[in-house]
Amino acid sequence: MGANSSSISELPENEYLQKLSGSEPISENDPFWNQLLSFSFTTPTNSADLKLLEEATISVCKSLVEKNPRTGNLGSLIKVFLSRTKELKISAECQNHLFIWQAHNALFIICCLLKVFISRMSEEELQLHFTYEEKAGPSSYGAECEDLIEELLYCLIQLIVEIPLLYPCQHTDSNWWKWLCSWYRGRYSGGVTSALGDITYSISLEAVTTLIVFLSCQLFHKEIVRESVIHRYLMHGRCLPYTSRLVKTLLYNFIRQERSPPPGTHVFQQQTDGGGLLYGIASGVATGLWTVFTLGGVGSKASAQLEQCSPLASQSLLLLLVLANLTDTPDTPNPYRQAIMSFKNTQDNTAFSSSNPHAFQINFNSLYTALCDQQKSDQATLLLYMLLHQNSNVRTYVLARTDIENLVLPILEILYHVEERNSHHVYMALIILLILTEDDGFNRSIHEVILKNITWYAERVLTEISLGSLLILVVIRTIQYNMTRTRDKYLHTNCLAALANMSAQFRSLHQYAAQRIISLFSLLSKKHNKVLEQATQSLRGSLGSNDSPLPDYAQDLNVIEEVIRMMLEIINSCLTNSLHHNPNLVYALLYKRDLFEQFRTHPSFQDIMQNIDLVISFFSSRLEQAGAELSVERVLEIIKQGAVALPKDRLRKFPELKFKYVEEEQPEEFFIPYVWSLVYNSAVALYWNPRDIQLFTMDSG
């Protein structure tokens, strides 16, 4: 690393931080701010450095919390930040290129301080630190004092939606950005990307991070926060008109996956001519406070994780998920959720509905590609779920894609590696499949997509298999895993619902998929017999004793019989609707025909067994007529011939199996803790003390 990370421990004794958190008020026009804010650093990302930074920041914050009501220095720092950003936008003619650099550094300090403040005080106390302004009296509140919280939130949103990342002149008509591009091109041989792009990337990331920190009060409450000043500012007033632009920008940040600048690359570097005034200021101050803050500077290695991802894309997605899951207020639905529910493809020329002012357009092809590429992360899977469930435009587009395997395969891989995934990620992946299988077109098309060599499927070599058969294999494997490990009824229900939705469109099932369907039924049958035997033995043993209560075998038996009934309905649905397309399923059914004997006369299954019994009898008879010792090929040939000959009117018609995903009441009770667990575990350059977290336990998510 650049400077020794242990030097962070020296921060509380540094003269600049002592003055900031000291007893003397610092005017927003004081030259002190130029000294404080002229530094270069790479934000620490590993947990050890972040924890050290947190501990050092807490020490400074304790002093600031105590003295800020008398000094107003936090407010002065925020006003300095606001002035830098405003001057950057309206005063390009002054050619003061320090503003964006100092604005970034001011925002970093504000974010560090806010994170500690929010974790240690109520929202009411936080407001006092923002609104206090020293007047003539020792403790008065200025009626004319502008609301710095709203002003800061508004400025952060403006930064996110208005600052381009790379080659800004190509993405905006803003005159001040055009001037800034021109200046950098003349000043640096590396061009806009290596100079301006690095610092704009960093300030965009810092703005997104600070918004997440502003909303992090939820982490420190066990109950869902339904009323909040921060929520109110974001959903009303000056911030509201930026809703669609903010959502669109965050989505595009996720889509673009821009990599972060290499560690140690800064905009303001020494020039060969000895540098000018700017470099003199920067280098002079850097020898003071902020040399200890260059944790990932020149000569250090970026972590493998950061090399493989975009911190801005990851952080933007987390912020988007947080905003989308803010609770509605009594008078206003969440505008960010409304924007997510209603945006359209750039190729869609239909008029926007006047009832939704937050609608916008985005490139669906780019969004689809990003969603396919990023499904290894919980947050990308959660975004996909939200879009499919809430945005009918996205759902229609996805279902119409001719390369649907690019999206389905990563979802299947999540389910296949169920042992390595957290339960929430598995649930989201499974619900996505359930939503997709609600569409008959999807259920037909997946059997037409032929895949080669699925390397991650280890139970059997699959050199060629349809996407539909692979989906069946993975869902059945998930059911079997759940039966032996987690025993989660919710997981069972959704797996079986997805299979049921597909069953009428089963086509050309792979022989292994057909075998696994019957094998699952065999497993259920054995479990049913075992529980039945246990119930019988328990009942006999209890006849002579009334002391101990009987285990509730009846409930276990009912659950197993419900699952068996569903599996029989799935098999029946396939036989009724597409028997002639699935000789391998008939073959597997005949091979294990004895399994079904015990259910013929069972009152819970008699009706559904009629068709299965008829198919078994019909094809068994034809095989007996063909003689003994038939080869597999010959048996399949007889089955195919018999499928044509079997009168369809002999099969009893049952209602079509169709299940639709419905979100449970009060979904926020599930989604808000889940989203914040993702923020806690995945956010870049953010650390919270686990002992302070109230919303969820450390092993949740």
Side-chain angles (χ1 to χ4, degrees), residues 46 67 88 122 142 210 216 223 225 243 316 325-326 372 407 425 434 441 471 578 585 594 618 623 628 634:
N46 69 67
K67 297 169 183 175
L88 179 64
S122 68
T210 307
S216 64
E223 304 298 324
V225 174
T243 296
S316 295
N325 285 281
L326 296 179
C372 293
L407 186 68
H425 199 184
L434 179 55
L471 196 159
S578 55
L585 181 63
D594 293 344
F618 177 83
L623 289 175
R634 178 58 182 150

Side-chain angles (χ1 to χ4, degrees), residues 557-573:
L557 206 57
N558 285 335
V559 171
I560 295 171
E561 289 184 355
E562 284 178 10
V563 177
I564 289 175
R565 169 84 189 187
M566 180 67 82
M567 282 302 301
L568 289 172
E569 288 182 348
I570 289 168
I571 294 170
N572 178 71
S573 174

Side-chain angles (χ1 to χ4, degrees), residues 50-282:
L50 286 167
K51 186 176 181 181
L52 286 172
L53 176 59
E54 173 85 357
E55 292 169 351
T57 308
I58 287 174
S59 176
V60 174
C61 282
K62 284 182 179 178
S63 177
L64 192 60
V65 166
E66 178 186 349
K67 297 169 183 175
N68 186 65
R70 295 187 296 275
T71 66
N73 285 344
L74 176 62
S76 294
L77 173 60
I78 292 170
K79 289 177 182 178
V80 169
F81 165 70
L82 295 174
S83 69
R84 294 297 191 271
T85 57
K86 288 177 182 176
E87 289 167 344
L88 179 64
K89 294 175 183 177
I90 65 176
S91 303
E93 293 81 6
C94 73
Q95 299 193 11
N96 192 336
H97 36 270
L98 247 175
F99 288 148
I100 190 168
W101 184 37
Q102 290 195 344
H104 168 270
N105 293 347
L107 185 54
F108 176 80
I109 299 172
I110 291 168
C111 186
C112 289
L113 297 176
L114 272 179
K115 188 163 65 66
V116 178
F117 272 49
I118 289 171
S119 68
R120 291 173 175 263
M121 63 180 65
S122 68
E123 203 172 59
E124 291 74 17
E125 292 174 298
L126 181 66
Q127 283 183 276
L128 295 181
H129 284 276
F130 272 83
T131 58
Y132 183 84
E133 224 179 58
E134 191 172 37
K135 302 289 183 182
S139 58
S140 61
Y141 291 85
E144 299 178 358
C145 176
E146 62 181 340
D147 195 322
L148 281 181
I149 294 182
E150 184 175 23
E151 185 73 13
L152 180 54
L153 289 169
Y154 179 72
C155 181
L156 292 173
I157 292 173
Q158 282 191 311
L159 281 175
I160 294 169
V161 302
E162 292 185 3
I163 289 185
L165 300 182
L166 298 174
Y167 300 106
C169 293
Q170 299 176 14
H171 295 290
T172 181
D173 294 327
S174 174
N175 289 328
W176 63 276
W177 273 115
K178 288 181 177 178
W179 170 83
L180 209 51
C181 288
S182 175
W183 186 89
Y184 271 103
R185 286 197 182 98
R187 192 74 168 169
Y188 290 96
S189 59
V192 177
T193 301
S194 61
L196 186 60
D198 293 351
I199 194 65
T200 57
Y201 188 102
S202 297
I203 197 171
S204 296
L205 176 58
E206 206 61 55
V208 171
T209 302
T210 307
L211 272 181
I212 291 175
V213 168
F214 253 123
L215 292 160
S216 64
C217 61
Q218 177 65 80
L219 282 171
F220 314 106
H221 293 81
K222 288 184 178 180
E223 304 298 324
I224 301 302
V225 174
R226 299 183 185 276
E227 293 186 7
S228 163
V229 171
I230 308 301
H231 294 187
R232 188 166 67 247
Y233 285 138
L234 288 172
M235 295 166 66
H236 297 83
R238 299 176 67 192
C239 297
L240 184 61
Y242 280 84
T243 296
S244 59
R245 291 182 65 189
L246 178 57
V247 171
K248 183 176 182 177
T249 301
L250 295 175
L251 277 172
Y252 268 127
N253 286 348
F254 166 70
I255 288 169
R256 288 172 180 143
Q257 294 289 318
E258 296 281 1
R259 301 299 174 90
S260 60
T265 59
H266 306 298
V267 172
F268 301 100
Q269 299 176 0
Q270 188 169 10
Q271 300 174 52
T272 55
D273 62 0
L277 172 63
L278 176 62
Y279 177 74
I281 294 174

